[in-house]
Amino acid sequence: MERLCARKWLEAQKCKYLLIQCANSGAVSRPCRFLSSAEVSAALRPFYFSVHPDLFGRYPAERIVNENSLKQLSSYIETLQQNRPTRPTTVTFYLRNQNTLDTGTFRSVRISLAQRDLRKTVLSILKTCGLPTTYVDNIEPHPEKPRFERLNVKVDENDPVYGSFVLKQQIKKAKDAEKLMIWLKSNVSEALRKLAACQPVREEIVRLQKGLCDTLGVQSVVWDCGWNVTHFRGCLLSFQALARHHPNIMHTLKGRKLIFGNDTGVSLDGHVMLNSGEVRHNWLDLIKNVHKQDAVLYRIPAFEKAVSRVLRDIKVVRRKFQPKVMAKQYENQLRRLTTSLSDHQGRMGYPKDWPDSLSNFELVVETEAGPLMLSPTGQFIVPSSCPAFLLVAFLSENLDAASRLLQRYQRNKYVERDLHQRCVGEFELAALQKDDNITPDLMIECCDRLLRHKTVLSPSLKGVHLWVTNYYSVLSDGEVCIPWNWKL
């Protein structure tokens, strides 16, 4: 009897709150932003001056980390400004140490983004980086509070029924906002408008690319950087002016692929890489000394073969879906790992349960600060600083898993290629691209589900430049980012 009475009371309370909700039509408030866009920019100016990628031109690893983290932070702040639900995340930044004269000394900070309003987010960023918060502290907040006046019903906000009801409403709204169809309806028109506005820039880029290929004999000119197409056009115009002023040295680029990215040097594929954020003088210096970089390229196969021999003929390959690697840096990494493995082999040998040959497996040698891991494509990712005994133990534990992943990747890469072409054709997309961390199996799942829901999605995706990643966003040049695991 008591349980029955309690249940009726709870149902009555829920009905009361539903009536209040209907009468006030959205009176339950969401977190307020408290700060305008201008105030956010002003408050974070000291932070941007400390982490901006242009300050790390000589330190490509730190520069790339800061570039990627700034993109995530910008997307998070934009989501808060639009009063859309956010997902907690953590970003890493490198800050210059202001208390030392050593320009290569940095401090790494991890910023947790879990707040639900702009004011708390900005304060968290500044405090984590040890920057003053005076500007934000002097801005007086004006939070909105829920009001229930139309029915003249007094509601206890501490009532557990009220809290449960509001929580369910917020969860439902957050889940609805994450659905692809709802998000596309709200954002595709804006994306197409931005895409159309950037079309003249894209056409000029094609013209500039063709001009450089024709006049310099360059194989192709590629954009491999996180900045938008307007920045690419600026790089092309700057390089065009450089070529006109120094035509006598441009012959070194003939027959090569020219890539504007995050580093300056010659990649392992022999491509000439120019840092999009550097001054033209640095580009010129590289072009003058391309032949020195080529000498390193000629030595790379011998160093790779040395690693292969000391590790039972394992294939030394390049990492799939990762940024370009500079040849000189790679040579040093190979040399260091070869020395470590040779010493270990001489002292302790390799496990008896290893196969006589590891030629069916793939090894990727990376920077000292890289991870020791098995990639989703079955490659062993090894930092050059990894102790040999640790690498040997890791290989022993993961040989079977690596074999399975390699076989799956060989199958998936052809399936992915076919689904990619079908999506572009059947949805009439302007383009379809993906982030480096979206492996073939993830891309296959995404494209397969897109095609299965072609009827309902086609009207929203026609003419869109689609980018498959881990989040929803519309970039400044009109590219539409969607997560690979989207929900309809």
Side-chain angles (χ1 to χ4, degrees):
M1 188 67 181
E2 291 180 358
R3 290 184 180 177
L4 182 60
C5 292
R7 188 180 304 159
K8 289 183 177 180
W9 180 84
L10 285 172
E11 290 176 354
Q13 294 296 311
K14 288 181 181 179
C15 290
K16 179 175 70 174
Y17 291 126
L18 285 170
L19 286 171
I20 295 169
Q21 176 72 8
C22 295
N24 289 277
S25 62
V28 179
S29 68
R30 291 175 292 184
C32 289
R33 291 184 295 142
F34 294 168
L35 300 178
S36 67
S37 297
E39 288 170 336
V40 172
S41 299
L44 291 180
R45 189 172 292 118
F47 166 73
Y48 292 138
F49 285 159
S50 300
V51 303
H52 198 282
D54 288 350
L55 300 173
F56 296 80
R58 293 172 54 196
Y59 308 95
E62 290 80 3
R63 177 190 178 93
I64 292 174
V65 170
N66 281 12
E67 280 185 349
N68 292 335
S69 295
L70 278 174
K71 292 177 188 176
Q72 294 182 58
L73 178 60
S74 176
S75 176
Y76 189 89
I77 290 176
E78 181 181 352
T79 301
L80 288 178
Q81 289 173 329
Q82 296 175 359
N83 282 331
R84 288 156 43 198
T86 58
R87 290 183 177 179
T89 186
T90 302
V91 292
T92 301
F93 286 99
Y94 286 97
L95 283 76
R96 286 188 176 275
N97 193 335
Q98 303 295 334
N99 299 322
T100 176
L101 296 177
D102 182 5
T103 57
T105 303
F106 307 110
R107 177 166 61 94
S108 175
V109 297
R110 290 173 61 83
I111 300 175
S112 175
L113 301 176
Q115 298 77 16
R116 298 178 58 197
D117 62 67
L118 277 177
R119 186 185 188 90
K120 291 180 180 178
T121 299
V122 171
L123 286 173
S124 174
I125 294 169
L126 296 175
K127 289 177 180 178
T128 304
C129 297
L131 297 171
T133 61
T134 309
Y135 178 83
V136 181
D137 293 336
N138 290 334
I139 301 175
E140 186 173 348
H142 300 284
E144 297 176 2
K145 295 183 179 180
R147 282 189 252 170
F148 301 92
E149 298 175 352
R150 299 183 191 175
L151 292 181
N152 295 318
V153 179
K154 185 177 181 181
V155 176
D156 181 5
E157 296 180 12
N158 295 319
D159 191 312
V161 178
Y162 171 81
S164 173
F165 173 76
V166 173
L167 181 60
K168 288 179 180 178
Q169 292 292 96
Q170 291 174 342
I171 291 174
K172 182 180 182 300
K173 193 162 190 177
K175 287 182 177 179
D176 289 344
E178 292 175 357
K179 292 181 179 178
L180 181 61
M181 278 301 300
I182 295 176
W183 190 87
L184 288 175
K185 287 179 181 178
S186 302
N187 293 276
V188 162
S189 58
E190 176 68 10
L192 292 176
R193 185 190 65 78
K194 290 182 177 180
L195 194 65
C198 286
Q199 188 57 31
V201 176
R202 296 179 189 276
E203 292 174 356
E204 185 179 3
I205 285 173
V206 173
R207 180 182 59 79
L208 291 169
Q209 288 173 305
K210 186 177 184 304
L212 290 174
C213 291
D214 292 343
T215 57
L216 303 180
V218 177
Q219 185 185 88
S220 61
V221 183
V222 178
W223 182 241
D224 187 20
C225 184
W227 300 94
N228 59 28
V229 293
T230 305
H231 194 67
F232 184 23
R233 178 183 61 178
C235 288
L236 290 173
L237 291 171
S238 294
F239 186 80
Q240 185 184 63
L242 182 69
R244 287 174 180 169
H245 285 90
H246 303 276
N248 55 320
I249 64 168
M250 293 296 161
H251 64 277
T252 59
L253 300 177
K254 188 174 181 179
R256 293 180 180 268
K257 180 182 285 188
L258 184 63
I259 300 178
F260 291 94
N262 298 311
D263 297 287
T264 294
V266 175
S267 74
L268 296 179
D269 301 314
H271 305 326
V272 176
M273 305 281 296
L274 300 179
N275 189 325
S276 61
E278 286 188 343
V279 295
R280 289 185 293 179
H281 176 77
N282 291 355
W283 294 353
L284 186 64
D285 185 57
L286 171 66
I287 295 170
K288 289 179 180 178
N289 296 282
V290 162
H291 63 283
K292 296 181 181 178
Q293 300 280 341
D294 286 341
V296 177
L297 282 177
Y298 297 141
R299 297 195 297 266
I300 292 294
F303 279 102
E304 289 182 333
K305 193 171 184 179
V307 174
S308 176
R309 282 179 175 175
V310 78
L311 205 54
R312 296 194 179 178
D313 298 323
I314 197 168
K315 293 177 184 175
V316 179
V317 297
R318 318 289 160 74
R319 188 171 181 178
K320 301 176 178 70
F321 317 118
Q322 280 297 103
K324 300 293 185 296
V325 178
M326 298 300 103
K328 183 63 180 175
Q329 178 187 9
Y330 185 57
E331 180 187 31
N332 294 334
Q333 294 163 7
L334 291 171
R335 182 186 288 113
R336 181 170 182 176
L337 186 61
T338 302
T339 302
S340 176
L341 287 171
S342 297
D343 291 344
H344 182 275
Q345 185 185 32
R347 293 195 318 270
M348 304 179 66
Y350 293 133
K352 294 181 180 180
D353 58 346
W354 273 22
D356 294 334
S357 173
L358 298 179
S359 59
N360 291 329
F361 299 95
E362 297 182 353
L363 182 80
V364 177
V365 182
E366 293 202 337
T367 61
E368 297 179 4
L372 174 61
M373 60 176 284
L374 179 63
S375 78
T377 59
Q379 296 176 320
F380 289 105
I381 312 297
V382 182
S384 58
S385 60
C386 180
F389 75 89
L390 189 61
L391 172 57
V392 170
F394 185 78
L395 291 176
S396 298
E397 294 172 1
N398 293 278
L399 286 177
D400 291 340
S403 181
R404 291 194 300 270
L405 290 171
L406 280 170
Q407 292 175 13
R408 188 175 73 176
Y409 171 70
Q410 292 302 321
R411 296 191 303 268
N412 286 349
K413 66 180 182 181
Y414 298 109
V415 177
E416 178 193 8
R417 190 179 306 166
D418 177 64
L419 288 174
H420 181 281
Q421 294 173 350
R422 285 181 58 195
C423 282
V424 172
E426 295 190 25
F427 286 103
E428 300 182 49
L429 298 173
L432 175 59
Q433 294 174 274
K434 66 174 186 176
D435 275 358
D436 291 335
N437 59 353
I438 303 300
T439 53
D441 54 331
L442 301 184
M443 190 65 173
I444 287 171
E445 181 178 340
C446 177
C447 292
D448 183 58
R449 287 194 297 119
L450 285 173
L451 291 168
R452 278 193 276 118
H453 296 93
K454 175 187 171 183
T455 304
V456 294
L457 291 174
S458 286
S460 299
L461 290 177
K462 184 177 180 180
V464 166
H465 187 143
L466 193 63
W467 197 290
V468 179
T469 179
N470 291 296
Y471 53 87
Y472 286 108
S473 183
V474 176
L475 303 184
S476 60
D477 53 5
E479 294 177 0
V480 173
C481 300
I482 65 169
W484 65 270
N485 57 344
W486 52 268
K487 298 179 180 65
L488 188 63

